[in-house]
Amino acid sequence: MSPAFRAMDVEPRAKGVLLEPFVHQVGGHSCVLRFNETTLCKPLVPREHQFYETLPAEMRKFTPQYKGVVSVRFEEDEDRNLCLIAYPLKGDHGTMEIVDNSDCEPKSKLLRWTTNKKHHVLETEKTPKDWVRQHRKEEKMKSHKLEEEFEWLKKSEVLYYTVEKKGNISSQLKHYNPWSMKCHQQQLQRMKENAKHRNQYKFILLENLTSRYEVPCVLDLKMGTRQHGDDASEEKAANQIRKCQQSTSAVIGVRVCGMQVYQAGSGQLMFMNKYHGRKLSVQGFKEALYQFFHNGRYLRRELLGPVLKKLTELKAVLERQESYRFYSSSLLVIYDGKERPEVVLDSDAEDLEDLSEESADESAGAYAYKPIGASSVDVRMIDFAHTTCRLYGEDTVVHEGQDAGYIFGLQSLIDIVTEISEESGE
Protein backbone atom coordinates (compact mmCIF):
# COMPACT_ATOMS: atom_id res chain seq x y z
CA MET A 1 0.00 0.00 0.00
CA SER A 2 1.32 3.44 -0.87
CA PRO A 3 2.42 5.76 1.94
CA ALA A 4 -0.26 8.20 0.80
CA PHE A 5 -3.07 5.82 1.73
CA ARG A 6 -1.47 4.64 4.95
CA ALA A 7 -1.07 8.25 6.04
CA MET A 8 -4.79 9.00 5.80
CA ASP A 9 -7.15 8.64 8.72
CA VAL A 10 -9.42 6.30 6.83
CA GLU A 11 -11.79 3.37 6.76
CA PRO A 12 -11.47 0.48 4.26
CA ARG A 13 -13.68 0.24 1.21
CA ALA A 14 -13.04 -2.83 -0.93
CA LYS A 15 -14.53 -1.56 -4.19
CA GLY A 16 -12.44 1.55 -4.52
CA VAL A 17 -13.30 5.21 -4.13
CA LEU A 18 -15.94 7.00 -6.18
CA LEU A 19 -14.42 10.19 -7.58
CA GLU A 20 -16.68 13.21 -7.72
CA PRO A 21 -16.30 16.56 -9.50
CA PHE A 22 -14.23 19.06 -7.58
CA VAL A 23 -16.76 21.87 -7.44
CA HIS A 24 -14.23 24.62 -6.70
CA GLN A 25 -12.21 24.13 -9.90
CA VAL A 26 -12.46 27.49 -11.67
CA GLY A 27 -9.85 27.17 -14.41
CA GLY A 28 -7.62 24.84 -16.39
CA HIS A 29 -8.59 22.10 -18.81
CA SER A 30 -7.36 19.08 -16.84
CA CYS A 31 -10.09 17.42 -14.79
CA VAL A 32 -9.63 17.75 -11.02
CA LEU A 33 -11.65 15.28 -8.95
CA ARG A 34 -12.56 14.98 -5.29
CA PHE A 35 -11.02 11.86 -3.69
CA ASN A 36 -12.11 12.79 -0.19
CA GLU A 37 -12.60 15.89 1.95
CA THR A 38 -8.90 16.79 2.12
CA THR A 39 -7.58 15.16 -1.06
CA LEU A 40 -8.02 15.75 -4.80
CA CYS A 41 -6.73 13.82 -7.77
CA LYS A 42 -5.97 14.66 -11.39
CA PRO A 43 -4.59 12.74 -14.39
CA LEU A 44 -0.90 11.97 -13.98
CA VAL A 45 1.37 13.88 -16.36
CA PRO A 46 4.95 12.56 -16.10
CA ARG A 47 6.50 16.02 -15.98
CA GLU A 48 4.17 17.24 -13.22
CA HIS A 49 4.70 14.00 -11.29
CA GLN A 50 8.45 14.50 -11.55
CA PHE A 51 8.10 18.06 -10.30
CA TYR A 52 6.27 16.98 -7.13
CA GLU A 53 8.73 14.12 -6.54
CA THR A 54 11.74 16.48 -6.73
CA LEU A 55 10.20 19.66 -5.33
CA PRO A 56 12.70 21.98 -3.57
CA ALA A 57 11.97 22.12 0.17
CA GLU A 58 11.49 25.90 0.29
CA MET A 59 8.78 25.71 -2.40
CA ARG A 60 6.61 23.19 -0.57
CA LYS A 61 4.66 25.79 1.39
CA PHE A 62 3.63 27.35 -1.94
CA THR A 63 2.38 24.15 -3.63
CA PRO A 64 -0.28 21.57 -2.71
CA GLN A 65 0.99 18.62 -0.68
CA TYR A 66 1.70 15.62 -2.91
CA LYS A 67 0.10 12.42 -1.55
CA GLY A 68 0.91 9.68 -4.06
CA VAL A 69 -0.59 7.91 -7.09
CA VAL A 70 -3.76 5.86 -7.69
CA SER A 71 -5.20 3.89 -10.58
CA VAL A 72 -8.47 5.26 -12.00
CA ARG A 73 -10.95 3.72 -14.42
CA PHE A 74 -14.53 4.38 -15.41
CA GLU A 75 -17.30 1.89 -14.67
CA GLU A 76 -21.06 1.69 -15.16
CA ASP A 77 -23.33 1.59 -12.16
CA GLU A 78 -26.60 -0.34 -12.14
CA ASP A 79 -28.39 2.59 -13.80
CA ARG A 80 -25.85 2.72 -16.64
CA ASN A 81 -24.25 5.94 -15.45
CA LEU A 82 -20.51 6.21 -16.01
CA CYS A 83 -18.49 6.84 -12.84
CA LEU A 84 -14.78 7.29 -12.17
CA ILE A 85 -13.41 4.90 -9.53
CA ALA A 86 -9.95 5.05 -7.89
CA TYR A 87 -8.04 1.89 -6.88
CA PRO A 88 -4.59 1.22 -5.41
CA LEU A 89 -1.90 0.70 -8.03
CA LYS A 90 -1.15 -2.88 -9.03
CA GLY A 91 1.24 -4.44 -6.58
CA ASP A 92 0.17 -1.92 -3.95
CA HIS A 93 -1.44 -4.53 -1.72
CA GLY A 94 -4.13 -3.63 0.75
CA THR A 95 -7.58 -2.12 0.69
CA MET A 96 -8.56 1.22 -0.75
CA GLU A 97 -9.29 3.77 1.91
CA ILE A 98 -11.42 6.89 2.25
CA VAL A 99 -12.05 9.38 5.02
CA ASP A 100 -14.83 8.84 7.51
CA ASN A 101 -17.69 11.07 6.36
CA SER A 102 -19.92 10.28 9.31
CA ASP A 103 -19.99 13.92 10.33
CA CYS A 104 -21.03 15.08 6.85
CA GLU A 105 -24.45 15.20 5.25
CA PRO A 106 -26.14 11.84 4.59
CA LYS A 107 -25.06 10.43 1.23
CA SER A 108 -28.65 10.30 0.05
CA LYS A 109 -28.89 14.08 0.34
CA LEU A 110 -25.68 14.88 -1.52
CA LEU A 111 -25.80 15.61 -5.23
CA ARG A 112 -23.18 14.53 -7.72
CA TRP A 113 -22.70 14.86 -11.46
CA THR A 114 -22.61 11.65 -13.47
CA THR A 115 -22.57 11.08 -17.19
CA ASN A 116 -25.07 8.79 -18.86
CA LYS A 117 -24.03 6.93 -21.99
CA LYS A 118 -26.12 9.25 -24.15
CA HIS A 119 -26.46 12.45 -22.17
CA HIS A 120 -25.48 14.41 -19.07
CA VAL A 121 -27.65 14.26 -15.97
CA LEU A 122 -27.65 15.64 -12.46
CA GLU A 123 -29.17 13.19 -10.02
CA THR A 124 -29.16 12.04 -6.41
CA GLU A 125 -26.49 9.55 -5.45
CA LYS A 126 -28.87 6.89 -4.12
CA THR A 127 -32.18 6.66 -5.94
CA PRO A 128 -34.57 3.73 -5.36
CA LYS A 129 -34.63 1.34 -8.33
CA ASP A 130 -38.41 1.39 -8.64
CA TRP A 131 -38.40 5.19 -8.78
CA VAL A 132 -35.75 5.12 -11.51
CA ARG A 133 -37.77 2.71 -13.65
CA GLN A 134 -41.01 4.62 -13.12
CA HIS A 135 -39.53 7.99 -14.03
CA ARG A 136 -36.92 7.04 -16.64
CA LYS A 137 -38.75 8.81 -19.48
CA GLU A 138 -39.33 11.87 -17.33
CA GLU A 139 -35.68 12.00 -16.34
CA LYS A 140 -34.57 11.77 -19.96
CA MET A 141 -36.67 14.82 -20.73
CA LYS A 142 -35.23 16.70 -17.76
CA SER A 143 -31.67 15.75 -18.66
CA HIS A 144 -32.22 17.02 -22.21
CA LYS A 145 -33.16 20.41 -20.75
CA LEU A 146 -30.08 20.32 -18.51
CA GLU A 147 -27.91 19.57 -21.52
CA GLU A 148 -29.32 22.61 -23.30
CA GLU A 149 -28.68 24.71 -20.20
CA PHE A 150 -25.13 23.39 -19.99
CA GLU A 151 -24.48 24.44 -23.59
CA TRP A 152 -25.60 27.95 -22.60
CA LEU A 153 -23.34 27.90 -19.55
CA LYS A 154 -20.30 27.04 -21.66
CA LYS A 155 -20.92 30.16 -23.76
CA SER A 156 -21.37 32.45 -20.74
CA GLU A 157 -18.13 33.99 -19.53
CA VAL A 158 -19.43 35.63 -16.34
CA LEU A 159 -22.23 34.02 -14.36
CA TYR A 160 -24.16 34.96 -11.22
CA TYR A 161 -26.10 32.45 -9.12
CA THR A 162 -28.35 33.38 -6.25
CA VAL A 163 -27.70 31.15 -3.25
CA GLU A 164 -30.67 30.53 -1.00
CA LYS A 165 -30.19 31.91 2.48
CA LYS A 166 -31.57 28.81 4.15
CA GLY A 167 -29.36 25.82 4.65
CA ASN A 168 -25.58 25.44 4.54
CA ILE A 169 -23.97 27.62 1.88
CA SER A 170 -20.98 25.32 1.34
CA SER A 171 -23.24 22.37 0.52
CA GLN A 172 -25.21 24.49 -1.95
CA LEU A 173 -22.01 25.31 -3.82
CA LYS A 174 -22.03 21.72 -5.10
CA HIS A 175 -24.83 22.59 -7.50
CA TYR A 176 -23.45 25.60 -9.28
CA ASN A 177 -19.88 25.62 -10.63
CA PRO A 178 -20.20 25.13 -14.41
CA TRP A 179 -16.46 24.88 -15.11
CA SER A 180 -15.93 21.83 -12.89
CA MET A 181 -18.90 20.11 -14.54
CA LYS A 182 -17.46 20.90 -17.98
CA CYS A 183 -14.03 19.44 -17.10
CA HIS A 184 -15.55 16.37 -15.45
CA GLN A 185 -17.73 15.54 -18.43
CA GLN A 186 -14.90 16.06 -20.90
CA GLN A 187 -12.68 13.70 -18.89
CA LEU A 188 -15.36 10.99 -18.89
CA GLN A 189 -15.86 11.44 -22.62
CA ARG A 190 -12.13 11.11 -23.34
CA MET A 191 -11.89 7.96 -21.25
CA LYS A 192 -15.03 6.52 -22.85
CA GLU A 193 -13.67 7.11 -26.36
CA ASN A 194 -10.43 5.30 -25.47
CA ALA A 195 -12.21 2.45 -23.66
CA LYS A 196 -11.53 -0.13 -26.38
CA HIS A 197 -7.80 0.39 -26.02
CA ARG A 198 -7.48 1.49 -22.42
CA ASN A 199 -9.54 1.84 -19.26
CA GLN A 200 -6.93 2.30 -16.58
CA TYR A 201 -5.20 5.58 -15.89
CA LYS A 202 -2.79 6.85 -13.27
CA PHE A 203 -3.88 9.90 -11.25
CA ILE A 204 -1.85 11.83 -8.69
CA LEU A 205 -3.25 12.70 -5.26
CA LEU A 206 -2.89 16.29 -4.06
CA GLU A 207 -3.99 18.34 -1.07
CA ASN A 208 -7.43 19.95 -1.35
CA LEU A 209 -6.51 23.57 -0.69
CA THR A 210 -10.16 24.62 -0.24
CA SER A 211 -11.03 22.05 2.45
CA ARG A 212 -10.48 24.39 5.38
CA TYR A 213 -12.78 27.09 4.02
CA GLU A 214 -16.55 27.04 4.44
CA VAL A 215 -17.25 29.07 1.29
CA PRO A 216 -14.03 29.15 -0.78
CA CYS A 217 -13.42 32.18 -2.95
CA VAL A 218 -10.90 31.09 -5.58
CA LEU A 219 -8.83 33.11 -8.05
CA ASP A 220 -6.85 31.21 -10.71
CA LEU A 221 -4.13 33.32 -12.34
CA LYS A 222 -2.11 32.16 -15.34
CA MET A 223 1.43 33.31 -14.62
CA GLY A 224 4.31 34.35 -16.87
CA THR A 225 4.83 36.00 -20.23
CA ARG A 226 5.18 32.63 -21.98
CA GLN A 227 2.78 29.68 -21.72
CA HIS A 228 4.06 26.99 -24.14
CA GLY A 229 6.49 24.33 -23.02
CA ASP A 230 9.76 23.53 -24.76
CA ASP A 231 8.17 20.40 -26.22
CA ALA A 232 5.24 22.26 -27.82
CA SER A 233 4.62 21.89 -31.54
CA GLU A 234 5.04 24.95 -33.73
CA GLU A 235 1.28 25.23 -34.05
CA LYS A 236 0.68 25.03 -30.29
CA ALA A 237 3.51 27.44 -29.52
CA ALA A 238 2.10 29.96 -32.01
CA ASN A 239 -1.36 29.58 -30.48
CA GLN A 240 -0.05 30.18 -26.95
CA ILE A 241 2.05 33.14 -28.05
CA ARG A 242 -1.04 34.68 -29.67
CA LYS A 243 -3.07 34.21 -26.46
CA CYS A 244 -0.35 35.96 -24.46
CA GLN A 245 -0.06 38.84 -26.94
CA GLN A 246 -3.82 39.38 -26.97
CA SER A 247 -4.15 39.36 -23.17
CA THR A 248 -2.53 40.91 -20.12
CA SER A 249 0.07 38.09 -20.07
CA ALA A 250 2.38 39.93 -22.48
CA VAL A 251 2.00 43.29 -20.72
CA ILE A 252 2.11 42.40 -17.02
CA GLY A 253 2.95 38.67 -17.01
CA VAL A 254 -0.34 37.51 -15.51
CA ARG A 255 -3.96 37.02 -16.59
CA VAL A 256 -7.20 35.81 -15.02
CA CYS A 257 -7.82 32.14 -15.77
CA GLY A 258 -10.89 31.70 -13.57
CA MET A 259 -12.66 33.11 -10.53
CA GLN A 260 -15.29 32.10 -7.99
CA VAL A 261 -16.47 34.72 -5.50
CA TYR A 262 -19.25 34.65 -2.92
CA GLN A 263 -20.89 38.05 -2.62
CA ALA A 264 -22.45 38.23 0.81
CA GLY A 265 -24.23 41.48 0.01
CA SER A 266 -26.49 39.87 -2.60
CA GLY A 267 -26.17 36.22 -1.60
CA GLN A 268 -24.81 35.43 -5.06
CA LEU A 269 -21.94 33.39 -6.42
CA MET A 270 -20.01 34.99 -9.26
CA PHE A 271 -18.03 32.87 -11.73
CA MET A 272 -15.62 34.26 -14.31
CA ASN A 273 -13.97 31.90 -16.81
CA LYS A 274 -10.70 32.05 -18.73
CA TYR A 275 -12.32 33.34 -21.93
CA HIS A 276 -13.40 36.51 -20.17
CA GLY A 277 -10.01 36.75 -18.46
CA ARG A 278 -8.23 36.79 -21.82
CA LYS A 279 -10.23 39.83 -22.94
CA LEU A 280 -9.37 42.02 -19.96
CA SER A 281 -7.17 45.08 -20.32
CA VAL A 282 -4.67 45.91 -17.59
CA GLN A 283 -7.29 48.17 -16.01
CA GLY A 284 -9.87 45.41 -16.41
CA PHE A 285 -7.51 42.98 -14.70
CA LYS A 286 -7.15 45.39 -11.79
CA GLU A 287 -10.93 45.74 -11.55
CA ALA A 288 -11.35 41.95 -11.59
CA LEU A 289 -8.81 41.66 -8.77
CA TYR A 290 -10.69 44.32 -6.81
CA GLN A 291 -13.92 42.42 -7.42
CA PHE A 292 -12.34 39.21 -6.13
CA PHE A 293 -11.64 40.85 -2.76
CA HIS A 294 -15.02 42.59 -2.60
CA ASN A 295 -17.91 40.76 -0.94
CA GLY A 296 -20.67 42.90 -2.40
CA ARG A 297 -20.79 45.18 0.63
CA TYR A 298 -17.21 46.26 1.13
CA LEU A 299 -13.63 45.44 0.19
CA ARG A 300 -12.05 42.70 2.32
CA ARG A 301 -9.11 44.94 3.21
CA GLU A 302 -7.87 42.60 5.93
CA LEU A 303 -6.90 40.09 3.22
CA LEU A 304 -4.68 42.42 1.19
CA GLY A 305 -1.78 42.59 3.65
CA PRO A 306 -1.48 38.79 4.04
CA VAL A 307 -1.70 38.33 0.25
CA LEU A 308 1.07 40.85 -0.32
CA LYS A 309 3.25 39.16 2.29
CA LYS A 310 2.81 35.73 0.67
CA LEU A 311 3.38 37.05 -2.85
CA THR A 312 6.55 38.82 -1.77
CA GLU A 313 7.82 35.70 -0.02
CA LEU A 314 7.04 33.52 -3.05
CA LYS A 315 8.86 35.96 -5.33
CA ALA A 316 11.96 35.74 -3.12
CA VAL A 317 11.79 31.93 -3.18
CA LEU A 318 11.52 31.77 -6.98
CA GLU A 319 14.40 34.22 -7.40
CA ARG A 320 16.58 31.60 -5.72
CA GLN A 321 15.50 28.76 -8.04
CA GLU A 322 18.09 28.09 -10.71
CA SER A 323 17.00 26.86 -14.16
CA TYR A 324 13.30 26.35 -13.35
CA ARG A 325 10.69 27.47 -15.90
CA PHE A 326 7.04 27.21 -14.86
CA TYR A 327 5.41 27.45 -18.29
CA SER A 328 1.58 27.39 -18.21
CA SER A 329 1.58 27.20 -14.41
CA SER A 330 -1.14 28.93 -12.40
CA LEU A 331 -1.24 30.70 -9.08
CA LEU A 332 -4.25 30.20 -6.79
CA VAL A 333 -5.42 32.77 -4.26
CA ILE A 334 -8.03 31.39 -1.85
CA TYR A 335 -9.94 32.85 1.07
CA ASP A 336 -13.20 32.20 2.90
CA GLY A 337 -16.25 34.10 1.68
CA LYS A 338 -18.00 33.22 4.93
CA GLU A 339 -16.62 35.77 7.34
CA ARG A 340 -16.24 35.37 11.06
CA PRO A 341 -18.51 37.43 13.33
CA GLU A 342 -17.56 41.07 13.56
CA VAL A 343 -17.38 43.21 16.69
CA VAL A 344 -17.39 46.93 17.46
CA LEU A 345 -13.80 48.02 17.99
CA ASP A 346 -14.46 49.51 21.45
CA SER A 347 -16.61 46.64 22.73
CA ASP A 348 -15.86 45.10 26.09
CA ALA A 349 -14.50 41.56 26.03
CA GLU A 350 -17.67 40.12 27.59
CA ASP A 351 -19.75 41.63 24.76
CA LEU A 352 -17.78 39.99 21.95
CA GLU A 353 -19.51 36.63 22.04
CA ASP A 354 -22.97 38.20 22.29
CA LEU A 355 -22.73 40.21 19.09
CA SER A 356 -23.97 38.12 16.20
CA GLU A 357 -22.94 38.46 12.57
CA GLU A 358 -26.47 39.56 11.67
CA SER A 359 -26.49 42.41 14.18
CA ALA A 360 -23.11 43.52 12.91
CA ASP A 361 -24.42 43.54 9.34
CA GLU A 362 -27.46 45.61 10.30
CA SER A 363 -25.27 48.21 11.95
CA ALA A 364 -22.62 48.28 9.23
CA GLY A 365 -21.62 51.84 8.44
CA ALA A 366 -22.66 53.23 11.81
CA TYR A 367 -19.68 51.88 13.69
CA ALA A 368 -16.21 50.56 12.98
CA TYR A 369 -16.01 46.75 12.95
CA LYS A 370 -13.28 44.16 12.78
CA PRO A 371 -13.43 40.39 12.44
CA ILE A 372 -12.83 38.17 15.46
CA GLY A 373 -9.55 36.36 14.85
CA ALA A 374 -7.19 36.71 11.91
CA SER A 375 -8.55 36.12 8.43
CA SER A 376 -6.62 33.52 6.46
CA VAL A 377 -5.74 33.63 2.78
CA ASP A 378 -3.74 31.07 0.82
CA VAL A 379 -1.41 31.54 -2.16
CA ARG A 380 -0.26 28.39 -4.02
CA MET A 381 1.33 27.44 -7.33
CA ILE A 382 -0.41 24.66 -9.31
CA ASP A 383 -0.21 22.92 -12.71
CA PHE A 384 3.31 21.84 -13.57
CA ALA A 385 2.77 19.75 -16.71
CA HIS A 386 5.17 21.95 -18.70
CA THR A 387 7.67 22.80 -15.98
CA THR A 388 11.32 22.24 -16.83
CA CYS A 389 14.59 22.29 -14.88
CA ARG A 390 18.15 21.13 -15.56
CA LEU A 391 17.72 18.59 -12.72
CA TYR A 392 15.31 16.61 -14.92
CA GLY A 393 18.21 15.59 -17.14
CA GLU A 394 16.38 14.41 -20.25
CA ASP A 395 15.27 17.85 -21.51
CA THR A 396 16.88 18.98 -24.76
CA VAL A 397 16.55 22.64 -23.75
CA VAL A 398 18.21 23.72 -20.50
CA HIS A 399 17.51 27.22 -19.18
CA GLU A 400 19.81 29.33 -17.04
CA GLY A 401 18.93 31.60 -14.15
CA GLN A 402 15.47 32.59 -12.88
CA ASP A 403 12.06 32.30 -14.51
CA ALA A 404 11.96 36.01 -15.32
CA GLY A 405 8.49 35.88 -16.90
CA TYR A 406 6.86 34.31 -13.83
CA ILE A 407 8.69 36.64 -11.46
CA PHE A 408 7.64 39.62 -13.59
CA GLY A 409 4.02 38.49 -13.25
CA LEU A 410 4.39 38.19 -9.48
CA GLN A 411 5.82 41.72 -9.25
CA SER A 412 2.93 43.06 -11.36
CA LEU A 413 0.51 41.30 -9.03
CA ILE A 414 2.24 42.79 -5.99
CA ASP A 415 2.09 46.27 -7.53
CA ILE A 416 -1.62 46.01 -8.38
CA VAL A 417 -2.65 44.62 -4.98
CA THR A 418 -0.59 47.41 -3.39
CA GLU A 419 -2.44 49.99 -5.51
CA ILE A 420 -5.83 48.55 -4.49
CA SER A 421 -4.77 48.63 -0.85
CA GLU A 422 -3.59 52.25 -1.02
CA GLU A 423 -6.59 53.45 -2.99
CA SER A 424 -8.96 51.82 -0.52
CA GLY A 425 -7.42 53.89 2.26
CA GLU A 426 -5.63 51.11 4.13
Side-chain angles (χ1 to χ4, degrees):
M1 183 183 299
S2 69
F5 289 113
R6 284 199 300 268
M8 297 181 186
D9 182 16
V10 294
E11 290 186 350
R13 177 172 173 174
K15 295 184 179 180
V17 173
L18 173 67
L19 301 177
E20 298 179 341
F22 173 53
V23 297
H24 302 304
Q25 180 180 359
V26 299
H29 61 272
S30 179
C31 179
V32 180
L33 298 165
R34 181 187 182 278
F35 181 82
N36 61 36
E37 185 65 28
T38 59
T39 307
L40 304 176
C41 66
K42 60 184 294 192
L44 185 149
V45 176
R47 177 50 51 92
E48 184 168 44
H49 186 217
Q50 186 174 25
F51 171 80
Y52 280 111
E53 290 278 7
T54 61
L55 180 64
E58 64 177 343
M59 285 187 63
R60 288 175 188 161
K61 66 182 294 185
F62 292 106
T63 61
Q65 180 188 356
Y66 167 67
K67 299 187 176 185
V69 180
V70 291
S71 176
V72 174
R73 67 187 188 210
F74 76 83
E75 300 176 2
E76 283 188 22
D77 63 17
E78 57 189 10
D79 299 316
R80 302 188 73 194
N81 295 308
L82 296 180
C83 304
L84 295 177
I85 310 293
Y87 296 91
L89 291 176
K90 283 188 176 180
D92 191 12
H93 302 294
T95 56
M96 178 62 76
E97 302 165 331
I98 58 172
V99 295
D100 180 5
N101 288 319
S102 58
D103 59 339
C104 299
E105 293 183 68
K107 282 286 186 180
S108 60
K109 292 185 180 180
L110 293 180
L111 294 181
R112 65 180 173 88
W113 282 302
T114 57
T115 302
N116 186 277
K117 279 192 167 184
K118 295 183 179 179
H119 50 252
H120 305 300
V121 297
L122 181 63
E123 62 183 358
T124 54
E125 193 161 331
K126 290 186 178 180
T127 308
K129 294 180 182 178
D130 55 347
W131 191 94
V132 173
R133 295 189 186 99
Q134 182 181 351
H135 296 275
R136 188 173 296 276
K137 289 185 179 180
E138 182 182 342
E139 288 303 299
K140 284 184 178 180
M141 292 177 63
K142 289 181 180 178
S143 65
H144 180 69
K145 292 179 181 178
L146 282 171
E147 190 175 48
E148 291 179 347
E149 182 180 355
F150 179 58
E151 288 301 316
W152 175 79
L153 289 175
K154 287 193 293 186
K155 298 175 183 177
S156 303
E157 297 176 356
V158 180
L159 295 168
Y160 289 85
Y161 289 100
T162 299
V163 179
E164 296 179 10
K165 292 187 177 181
K166 62 181 180 179
N168 186 292
I169 296 174
S170 58
S171 67
Q172 293 177 43
L173 286 172
K174 295 178 185 295
H175 308 171
Y176 293 106
N177 190 324
W179 194 261
S180 64
M181 181 168 68
K182 174 177 181 288
C183 293
H184 184 249
Q185 292 173 337
Q186 287 179 340
Q187 179 67 31
L188 273 172
Q189 187 62 33
R190 284 193 295 266
M191 294 175 72
K192 178 185 173 184
E193 290 171 355
N194 294 329
K196 291 182 180 179
H197 310 287
R198 179 186 182 194
N199 186 20
Q200 189 164 324
Y201 298 78
K202 288 183 179 180
F203 278 52
I204 59 173
L205 296 172
L206 298 171
E207 172 189 6
N208 178 3
L209 300 173
T210 68
S211 63
R212 63 192 179 102
Y213 300 109
E214 185 175 345
V215 185
C217 294
V218 184
L219 176 64
D220 185 325
L221 299 169
K222 187 70 73 174
M223 301 299 297
T225 53
R226 168 180 161 175
Q227 300 302 321
H228 63 280
D230 293 323
D231 59 344
S233 64
E234 289 186 11
E235 181 182 0
K236 184 171 183 179
N239 185 43
Q240 293 293 346
I241 291 171
R242 184 174 63 255
K243 288 178 184 177
C244 289
Q245 291 175 339
Q246 294 176 349
S247 69
T248 56
S249 292
V251 184
I252 57 175
V254 55
R255 71 172 183 257
V256 173
C257 193
M259 184 191 300
Q260 169 181 296
V261 184
Y262 176 63
Q263 299 182 316
S266 60
Q268 289 184 320
L269 285 168
M270 188 277 282
F271 297 102
M272 180 185 295
N273 68 26
K274 65 181 182 181
Y275 303 111
H276 186 76
R278 288 176 191 168
K279 298 176 182 178
L280 297 174
S281 63
V282 174
Q283 180 60 30
F285 177 88
K286 179 179 176 180
E287 291 170 359
L289 209 60
Y290 181 91
Q291 187 175 22
F292 175 68
F293 291 111
H294 200 285
N295 69 0
R297 292 198 302 260
Y298 51 84
L299 186 69
R300 295 285 300 276
R301 295 183 182 89
E302 80 279 6
L303 300 171
L304 301 180
V307 166
L308 284 172
K309 182 178 179 181
K310 290 178 183 290
L311 291 174
T312 302
E313 185 179 351
L314 174 58
K315 179 172 174 282
V317 168
L318 294 188
E319 287 173 341
R320 295 192 290 269
Q321 304 310 311
E322 173 67 24
S323 182
Y324 272 101
R325 294 296 182 274
F326 303 100
Y327 299 134
S328 199
S329 177
S330 285
L331 189 70
L332 292 184
V333 182
I334 311 170
Y335 70 89
D336 203 333
K338 182 68 172 178
E339 295 182 79
R340 298 186 181 191
E342 297 179 332
V343 297
V344 182
L345 289 176
D346 60 354
S347 293
D348 295 330
E350 59 267 23
D351 295 331
L352 300 187
E353 294 182 1
D354 296 330
L355 186 59
S356 68
E357 186 175 8
E358 288 75 20
S359 64
D361 290 342
E362 291 172 0
S363 305
Y367 304 94
Y369 290 92
K370 68 175 181 180
I372 299 176
S375 296
S376 62
V377 61
D378 208 353
V379 174
R380 304 286 187 105
M381 299 173 69
I382 61 167
D383 297 339
F384 304 101
H386 301 288
T387 294
T388 180
C389 176
R390 67 156 60 117
L391 299 176
Y392 296 166
E394 72 275 14
D395 290 351
T396 55
V397 179
V398 177
H399 300 272
E400 300 293 335
Q402 310 164 342
D403 187 339
Y406 197 112
I407 293 172
F408 172 61
L410 278 176
Q411 186 59 56
S412 298
L413 202 52
I414 290 169
D415 293 342
I416 293 173
V417 175
T418 300
E419 288 177 16
I420 292 173
S421 177
E422 292 175 348
E423 290 171 5
S424 67
E426 184 171 87

